[in-house]
Amino acid sequence: MNKKILLVLVIAMMGLVKFNNVYSFNIFGNVHVMGSNIPVPNHAVYITDSISFYHVVYTDSTGFYQDTVTPYSGMMYVSTFDCNNLPHVLTMNWTGNGTILPLMTICYSNIDAGLLSVIYPDQTTTTGDTIAPKIKIKNYGNQPITSLQLGYKIYQYPTVIENWTGNLLKDSNLIFTFSTKYITPSSNYNIIAFTHLYGDTIIINDTLNKYIAVTPALLDAGVTEILSPLNPVQTGDYIPIKVKIKNYGTQTLTNLQINYKINGQLMPAMNWAGSLAHDSLDIVTLGSYFVSNANGISLIAFTNLNGDMYHPNDTAYNFIYVVPLHDAGLIEIINPDSINTTAGELIAPKIKFKNIGSQPITSLQLIYRIIGQSNSVVENWTGNLLKDSTAIYTFTTKYISPALDYVIKASTFLPLDSINYNNDIYKNITVNPALLDAAIVEIISPGISVCMAMVPVKIVIINNGLTPLDSIPVSFRRNNLTPINAIWTGSPLQSGDTIHFTFPTLMTVPGGVSFSFCAYTNLANDGYKYNDTTCKSVQISNQQIPQYITITGDDTVVINQNNVTYTAVPYPNINLSTSQFIWTLPTGCILNSSNINTISVNYGNTALSGNISCKVINQCGVSPTSYLSVHVFGTPPPPVIHSDGGSALISSYSTGNQWYNTSGAISGANQQSYSPTVVGDYYAKVTLAGFTSAASNIIHFPFVGIEETFESYNVRVYPNPFTASTTFYFSLKRNTYVRLSLLDITGKEIAVIYENKAEKGDHQIEFNAENYKSGIYFYHLKTGENNMNGKL
């Protein structure tokens, strides 16, 4: 188990001296174990002003440290790291006076791994030797070390990092040999070995540097430099390939093979003969090369000496740039001016180009294009343009400056041109507005799709000119019909401002699939007419506004009942994916989802009874708002059950049901409907949000099917929900006695709506509810021995 102790870092500032508005002073402090005078030696303390000053100092054997600082800001930071490697920072502000810093208490655990020595390589090695470095490490801390990163670095070689695992106890050491080896270079070098331990509190002992003297190999030759060709060369030149070689070995060289590659192709080898002593140099010409293209030359030269002990110094590299035979490039777009161009101005572009190749140019294609426009202008120049010469050309084909800022691109096209990156040039043009310029920015209505109806025409007009406008003639046109004209008038529209305008005349949507629609301005003396008109293709939709919406879902809930689902069903059907459903809830209810036809509602502690409403917005307009009255109770009212006229019983609740008979709860009978299997009395209870209602009314099974009296599925109430009145519709198969009564939410009968003999056939009974409070009710329709219940 790691032992953790606390230390207190005490910091003070002394000897404050000011030089040219820069303060120089001493910072000092002590690190010791809390509650004792035991010092903590060799502990890192970091001092910085976070701008230009940064020092790391270590406590001595008595736990004391000291540093002289010259910061360049009015704030100093003194920090150290605790046993979890988390920083603790003290901040000191000063205005020229000495300041005593507060105490810093940190967790301290002495975790420290360090290097004792680099055992191998020896002080003297030979070029080409394969070396596996060997180091000696020690656990200086008081905690066991079970894993450690070890590494080494040899000048141009990549850093090597390997992992050690084991159990290195306090004050113990071990010897580690790296598995990654390196080849001894041809000159003296330093090997740097290091440890890396997470949470290491002392880093001063993590690194060791060992100087290694290298004995030259017996055989070792290499190319030190490529002397020729020098940058750049020209297409069509014959260039000599000249290199400098060196004998790094101790044995005198009398012959040597030298190879070279040009652009990856191996060229014929050159066999050198002579006498080259140790550390001697010679210049050798390997051959010549004809420059046939302008793509540049990649040159690699290397020695091939049998028995060479060290190969990293064999090779030299160079890349030579080539001046092409044929190359025309653009220097500048002179006209149009970057900032002095006016919208609607007629412009003849003027460009400057150059012969960058070595051969004269007598003909050249010149091109310009306004970025964003599809057409390019191509014209031919002829003349005699020598190497490094320039020429200026003015296009005869002019263009009209756009109303907004734009980019113009100019290009050259020269057959056999071998350099393409200098063929194009771009220029940003800032456009000054015309004196008079009105434009259509946007057609708001009709949109990209319209319904079969009369629709308003709404546009956005902008004053792009410099002159304020208080009236702008505008028009719109569907397909090729006669335009509809109007005039916007109002307070002067300033330069750059926009205004929304609705035409007084509606547009009739035609039959078919789509139509073309355009809106435009008709301003007299408009300086730039190219932005006057905006057009769009409009699709004709078969969508329509819903006539009404039916909201389905539980209208009897309890406090803290969550995830109650409600669905809005529009009539007639509409495209749900392009429609937005706007819901509102009673006070205290939380909507979990919105803008769709099915939502989930949470009834919190403050939820109150009220209406859930919904309306639909689509591209055709807004539907009427529909309502569902919801009653919120502390505990659920008892359900009201009825038969379906056949073999099933149905509860007035859609969820939370449990069915019972005289024997008690029926296992698994927890849906809204239940089909009894034995004769007896049946009733239901409902549990919502952990609260259980009283028992419902009791129905005896078996019972006579209601279809013997009523036409199947032909009993309905419309409208439902309703406000003042509604109508009951049903059909009888035979003459019978009919009683229709009204029940409240508890199932208590509160009124008889109709009671009389009725003949076979269709019937409708109107019910006026003006004297009743808004809420949830049930009806009970009885004919002889048959019963039908429903919700109002």
Side-chain angles (χ1 to χ4, degrees):
M1 181 177 68
N2 289 339
K3 179 180 178 183
K4 297 183 179 179
I5 56 178
L6 294 176
L7 63 85
V8 176
L9 180 62
V10 184
I11 304 173
M13 183 182 76
M14 297 181 61
L16 185 66
V17 182
K18 181 177 180 183
F19 296 103
N20 298 325
N21 295 322
V22 177
Y23 293 95
S24 179
F25 55 91
N26 290 328
I27 280 185
F28 59 88
N30 286 283
V31 178
H32 59 86
V33 177
M34 178 173 283
S36 72
N37 292 322
I38 302 173
V40 179
N42 298 321
H43 188 73
V45 178
Y46 306 88
I47 303 172
T48 181
D49 66 356
S50 78
I51 297 177
S52 60
F53 180 83
Y54 177 81
H55 277 183
V56 181
V57 296
Y58 294 88
T59 57
D60 60 16
S61 60
T62 67
F64 177 82
Y65 73 90
Q66 182 174 354
D67 192 22
T68 299
V69 298
T70 307
Y72 287 87
S73 70
M75 186 173 292
M76 283 296 300
Y77 304 90
V78 181
S79 62
T80 188
F81 288 85
D82 68 10
C83 60
N84 295 313
N85 208 31
L86 298 174
H88 292 258
V89 182
L90 292 174
T91 303
M92 177 182 66
N93 294 282
W94 73 88
T95 58
N97 299 315
T99 302
I100 301 299
L101 295 178
L103 297 179
M104 179 191 294
T105 301
I106 65 170
C107 164
Y108 177 76
S109 179
N110 187 10
I111 302 174
D112 180 21
L115 280 165
L116 287 172
S117 64
V118 177
I119 300 173
Y120 186 73
D122 298 328
Q123 292 287 354
T124 302
T125 57
T126 302
T127 298
D129 284 351
T130 299
I131 304 293
K134 184 184 298 185
I135 60 176
K136 189 173 185 179
I137 60 177
K138 180 179 179 178
N139 181 357
Y140 290 95
N142 57 19
Q143 306 296 322
I145 297 174
T146 57
S147 64
L148 183 64
Q149 277 192 342
L150 303 170
Y152 72 87
K153 177 77 172 79
I154 308 294
Y155 78 125
Q156 79 268 35
Y157 292 132
T159 300
V160 174
I161 297 177
E162 295 184 4
N163 295 311
W164 168 86
T165 58
N167 188 24
L168 188 62
L169 301 179
K170 173 185 176 183
D171 290 331
S172 299
N173 54 63
L174 61 84
I175 294 175
F176 179 81
T177 301
F178 287 90
S179 59
T180 304
K181 303 177 182 180
Y182 68 92
I183 299 174
T184 301
S186 57
S187 58
N188 300 340
Y189 66 95
N190 287 295
I191 180 171
I192 302 171
F194 57 88
T195 65
H196 177 73
L197 176 63
Y198 181 80
D200 197 313
T201 55
I202 301 172
I203 60 174
I204 196 170
N205 56 12
D206 291 354
T207 305
L208 277 180
N209 184 9
K210 185 175 183 180
Y211 178 79
I212 307 298
V214 177
T215 300
L218 184 66
L219 293 173
D220 183 15
V223 177
T224 63
E225 184 181 359
I226 295 176
L227 300 175
S228 174
L230 298 175
N231 276 311
V233 297
Q234 186 171 283
T235 304
D237 286 350
Y238 280 94
I239 54 175
I241 309 298
K242 189 179 295 185
V243 301
K244 183 185 290 185
I245 62 172
K246 180 178 180 178
N247 181 8
Y248 293 96
T250 57
Q251 178 175 309
T252 299
L253 294 178
T254 57
N255 58 76
L256 180 64
Q257 187 181 78
I258 309 171
N259 299 83
Y260 67 102
K261 291 182 180 180
I262 294 180
N263 295 332
Q265 181 181 355
L266 183 63
M267 310 302 287
M270 187 273 182
N271 293 309
W272 171 89
S275 179
L276 197 63
H278 172 61
D279 271 347
S280 297
L281 301 168
D282 194 14
I283 296 174
V284 180
T285 300
L286 303 181
S288 61
Y289 176 72
F290 176 72
V291 182
S292 59
N293 60 64
N295 294 326
I297 301 170
S298 175
L299 179 59
I300 301 173
F302 54 94
T303 57
N304 186 7
L305 175 63
N306 189 26
D308 195 308
M309 300 295 293
Y310 185 67
H311 295 293
N313 58 11
D314 292 355
T315 306
Y317 305 84
N318 200 7
F319 183 83
I320 298 95
Y321 296 94
V322 178
V323 176
L325 279 173
H326 305 285
D327 183 18
L330 277 166
I331 303 300
E332 180 186 2
I333 298 176
I334 300 173
N335 191 45
D337 189 275
S338 294
I339 58 175
N340 293 318
T341 299
T342 302
E345 179 183 348
L346 191 62
I347 296 176
K350 182 186 293 185
I351 61 174
K352 186 176 184 180
F353 57 94
K354 181 178 182 179
N355 181 2
I356 303 173
S358 60
Q359 301 300 310
I361 298 175
T362 57
S363 65
L364 182 64
Q365 276 192 345
L366 301 173
I367 307 159
Y368 80 84
R369 181 168 70 92
I370 306 302
I371 298 300
Q373 299 181 6
S374 58
N375 296 329
S376 296
V377 174
V378 181
E379 295 185 2
N380 294 310
W381 170 89
T382 58
N384 186 26
L385 192 62
L386 301 179
K387 174 187 175 184
D388 291 333
S389 299
T390 60
I392 293 175
Y393 179 79
T394 301
F395 285 87
T396 59
T397 304
K398 303 177 182 180
Y399 70 93
I400 296 174
S401 172
L404 302 176
D405 298 347
Y406 64 95
V407 177
I408 183 172
K409 173 187 176 183
S411 307
T412 62
F413 176 75
L414 176 67
L416 302 178
D417 194 318
S418 54
I419 302 295
N420 295 319
Y421 63 82
N422 56 15
N423 292 351
D424 301 325
I425 194 170
Y426 297 81
K427 189 174 185 179
N428 295 313
I429 307 300
T430 300
V431 179
N432 299 311
L435 190 63
L436 292 171
D437 182 16
I440 303 294
V441 176
E442 181 186 0
I443 298 173
I444 300 174
S445 176
I448 60 174
S449 179
V450 294
C451 306
M452 297 287 292
M454 300 283 288
V455 298
V457 176
K458 299 179 182 180
I459 60 174
V460 181
I461 310 169
I462 188 171
N463 180 6
N464 281 329
L466 295 174
T467 305
L469 300 172
D470 55 14
S471 68
I472 302 173
V474 291
S475 303
F476 75 82
R477 184 179 67 244
R478 173 170 61 80
N479 292 333
N480 293 319
L481 298 180
T482 302
I484 303 298
N485 301 317
I487 297 179
W488 166 84
T489 58
S491 300
L493 190 64
Q494 303 299 319
S495 177
D497 288 348
T498 59
I499 191 72
H500 288 64
F501 177 71
T502 301
F503 282 81
T505 304
L506 297 176
M507 184 197 70
T508 302
V509 177
V513 177
S514 65
F515 61 90
S516 172
F517 182 86
C518 296
Y520 45 94
T521 59
N522 301 302
L523 183 66
N525 300 317
D526 194 305
Y528 185 72
K529 295 183 177 297
Y530 298 91
N531 58 7
D532 292 357
T533 303
T534 296
C535 296
K536 69 195 307 185
S537 178
V538 181
Q539 302 298 311
I540 301 173
S541 171
N542 57 5
Q543 288 288 311
Q544 54 188 310
I545 301 174
Q547 298 176 19
Y548 64 86
I549 301 169
T550 300
I551 303 174
T552 62
D554 288 340
D555 49 14
T556 303
V557 295
V558 296
I559 292 292
N560 291 323
Q561 184 177 348
N562 294 328
N563 301 316
V564 182
T565 300
Y566 296 92
T567 301
V569 182
Y571 177 84
N573 291 331
I574 60 173
N575 187 339
L576 298 180
S577 64
T578 59
S579 302
Q580 184 180 9
F581 290 78
I582 308 300
W583 295 86
T584 59
L585 303 179
T587 302
C589 302
I590 299 172
L591 183 65
N592 293 329
S593 54
S594 60
N595 297 335
I596 56 177
N597 69 312
T598 297
I599 62 170
S600 176
V601 176
N602 290 348
Y603 290 90
N605 290 326
T606 60
L608 301 177
S609 298
N611 290 326
I612 292 179
S613 70
C614 182
K615 63 183 177 180
V616 179
I617 301 175
N618 64 11
Q619 61 192 24
C620 300
V622 182
S623 74
T625 301
S626 294
Y627 300 88
L628 175 65
S629 181
V630 177
H631 287 256
V632 182
F633 296 92
T635 59
V640 177
I641 65 173
H642 67 274
S643 70
D644 66 352
S647 61
L649 302 176
I650 300 174
S651 168
S652 57
Y653 285 89
S654 60
T655 59
N657 293 284
Q658 175 62 57
W659 292 90
Y660 295 80
N661 58 17
T662 53
S663 298
I666 303 170
S667 177
N670 50 21
Q671 302 301 312
Q672 186 174 13
S673 64
Y674 173 67
S675 297
T677 58
V678 297
V679 175
D681 292 331
Y682 290 87
Y683 62 94
K685 295 181 181 180
V686 68
T687 301
L688 298 176
F691 295 96
T692 301
S693 72
S696 70
N697 55 303
I698 297 174
I699 292 183
H700 181 76
F701 179 85
F703 43 79
V704 178
I706 197 166
E707 66 272 9
E708 296 179 3
T709 302
F710 295 105
E711 293 286 356
S712 297
Y713 308 103
N714 203 24
V715 179
R716 66 188 183 95
V717 182
Y718 183 81
N720 189 16
F722 64 96
T723 53
S725 64
T726 188
T727 303
F728 292 85
Y729 301 88
F730 58 90
S731 295
L732 300 175
K733 284 188 173 182
R734 56 185 172 85
N735 298 338
T736 185
Y737 171 83
V738 174
R739 187 176 192 271
L740 176 62
S741 58
L742 183 68
L743 303 128
D744 64 15
I745 194 69
T746 66
K748 178 183 177 182
E749 182 179 286
I750 59 174
V752 176
I753 299 173
Y754 177 84
E755 185 174 17
N756 210 340
K757 290 183 179 180
E759 296 181 352
K760 173 183 178 181
D762 296 333
H763 294 265
Q764 63 183 51
I765 298 173
E766 293 186 1
F767 170 52
N768 190 314
E770 290 182 347
N771 295 326
Y772 297 93
K773 294 182 179 179
S774 175
I776 298 173
Y777 296 85
F778 297 93
Y779 66 85
H780 180 68
L781 184 61
K782 177 178 177 60
T783 62
E785 297 179 353
N786 304 314
N787 297 274
M788 169 68 75
N789 291 329
K791 185 186 291 186
L792 295 174

